[in-house]
Amino acid sequence: MPVPILKQGDILIASIQSALSDRELVELRDSFSDQIGRFRSRGVVVDVTALDVLDSFATRTLRGIAHTARLRGATAVVVGIQPEVAFAMVQLGLSLEGVETALDLEEGMALLNGAGTADDDRAR
Amino acid sequence: MTIVPGELHVPIEGEADIVTARQKGRELAADIGFSSTEQTIVALAISEIARNIVSYAQCGEITFARVDDGVRRGLLVVARDRGPGIPDIDLAMRDGYSTARSLGIGLPGAKRVMDEFDIQSEPDQGTTVTMKKWLP
């Protein structure tokens, strides 16, 4: 099942709800690239909270999403990497170097809106 | 070391089976008593060796079993394919080496996170990866 992409202002949000096959991940990358142009989006958020594993292919595709977004004039943020998923990635030697990350959707949106963190927002 | 009866076989025939393999492996790891973090690490290692089958041999099979060496209990994962084989295992096990479109981190990464890791490969006969994780 393809991942639905929601549009909120000039930000695109993809919330991954279940384990994705390689093909679905690649489709997500391609639809982001297409929709950034169609909606003139500045930012994309990929919410991976529901994913219980990020392997080398998923990591590489997320980097692909981020780099493609950058080339299309937008910024991508990966949000919601779970603690054990992060730990396993580190153990295996996988990284998301060059990719913006944030704790959750709220922090990711704050990052894209140039507001620093959601905590800064609340303090204001 | 004894293999506890009740092995689980997962055929790997396409990339969708990678997800199935790591889910089955995680379920068994949970049954054996591995922590959530260890289950995730095992699932990640399985994902990498399953992907290796899809990338290089197209199809194969992963077998999961409980093992017991009298002192410790653990999980055994065996990935078999009848693909072209790996011409230079030392090279394939080097971080950053890849002939397919990957980061070249899969096999060495899996070896790093499992307690035991063995790879046997014969040209045109296929490749067998055997790995174990013991309960701490």
Side-chain angles (χ1 to χ4, degrees), chain A residues 19-24 52-60 63 84-85 87-89 91-94, chain B residues 15-16 18-19 22-23 26 36-37 40-41 43-45 47-48 51 101-103 105 109-110 112-113:
Chain A
L20 288 188
S21 69
D22 295 355
R23 186 170 299 122
E24 290 164 329
D52 67 345
V53 166
L54 283 175
D55 67 4
S56 58
F57 187 87
T59 307
R60 188 157 53 93
R63 289 157 73 125
E84 61 271 27
V85 174
F87 183 70
M89 284 174 67
Q91 294 290 303
L92 212 90
L94 300 173
Chain B
E15 45 110 13
I18 298 172
V19 176
R22 69 173 181 239
Q23 284 170 347
R26 176 190 281 273
S36 166
T37 302
T40 304
I41 287 173
L44 183 48
S47 201
E48 299 301 342
R51 164 151 295 111
R101 301 167 303 126
S102 71
L103 289 173
I105 213 159
R112 199 154 41 231
V113 298

Side-chain angles (χ1 to χ4, degrees), chain B:
Chain B
M1 186 197 81
T2 27
I3 293 175
V4 181
E7 297 178 1
L8 186 65
H9 302 278
V10 178
I12 305 293
E13 280 154 9
E15 45 110 13
D17 296 322
I18 298 172
V19 176
T20 311
R22 69 173 181 239
Q23 284 170 347
K24 295 285 179 199
R26 176 190 281 273
E27 283 166 21
L28 184 54
D31 272 359
I32 292 171
F34 285 103
S35 72
S36 166
T37 302
E38 289 160 339
Q39 289 168 35
T40 304
I41 287 173
V42 166
L44 183 48
I46 292 166
S47 201
E48 299 301 342
I49 60 163
R51 164 151 295 111
N52 213 57
I53 293 179
V54 174
S55 300
Y56 294 96
Q58 283 75 54
C59 62
E61 184 186 69
I62 299 190
T63 302
F64 301 103
R66 293 163 186 266
V67 283
D68 193 327
D69 71 351
V71 184
R72 302 169 298 175
R73 286 179 303 131
L75 170 69
L76 169 70
V77 181
V78 182
R80 277 190 201 89
D81 69 59
R82 297 253 165 238
I86 301 171
D88 187 338
I89 289 182
D90 288 341
L91 190 59
M93 290 305 294
R94 199 176 292 169
D95 261 330
Y97 178 79
S98 173
T99 54
R101 301 167 303 126
S102 71
L103 289 173
I105 213 159
L107 288 182
K111 181 179 182 178
R112 199 154 41 231
V113 298
M114 299 298 279
D115 294 323
E116 291 175 40
F117 185 98
D118 177 66
I119 180 163
Q120 299 291 333
S121 191
E122 288 290 328
D124 300 322
Q125 298 296 305
T127 301
T128 301
V129 174
T130 305
M131 50 188 203
K132 284 185 212 117
K133 185 88 176 164
W134 296 105
L135 266 186

Side-chain angles (χ1 to χ4, degrees), chain A:
Chain A
M1 198 182 71
V3 180
I5 297 180
L6 310 176
K7 183 175 166 295
Q8 185 167 332
D10 52 8
I11 295 174
L12 299 172
I13 305 169
S15 184
I16 299 171
Q17 293 303 328
S18 61
L20 288 188
S21 69
D22 295 355
R23 186 170 299 122
E24 290 164 329
L25 263 170
V26 168
E27 279 168 10
L28 178 64
R29 183 194 65 200
D30 295 347
S31 31
F32 263 140
S33 183
D34 172 51
Q35 294 198 17
I36 286 169
R38 196 177 333 143
F39 298 118
R40 311 192 74 76
S41 306
R42 286 190 302 109
V44 304
V45 178
V46 188
D47 187 351
V48 298
T49 306
L51 293 188
D52 67 345
V53 166
L54 283 175
D55 67 4
S56 58
F57 187 87
T59 307
R60 188 157 53 93
T61 310
L62 287 175
R63 289 157 73 125
I65 287 174
H67 296 164
T68 308
R70 173 80 36 86
L71 290 169
R72 299 280 283 150
T75 304
V77 187
V78 174
V79 306
I81 298 179
Q82 295 303 295
E84 61 271 27
V85 174
F87 183 70
M89 284 174 67
V90 171
Q91 294 290 303
L92 212 90
L94 300 173
S95 82
L96 277 178
E97 216 162 298
V99 180
E100 294 279 4
T101 56
L103 186 65
D104 54 21
L105 186 55
E106 189 186 1
E107 296 283 349
M109 295 296 281
L111 187 77
L112 286 177
N113 286 320
T117 68
D119 279 337
D120 292 344
D121 257 4
R122 282 191 287 270
R124 233 169 262 142

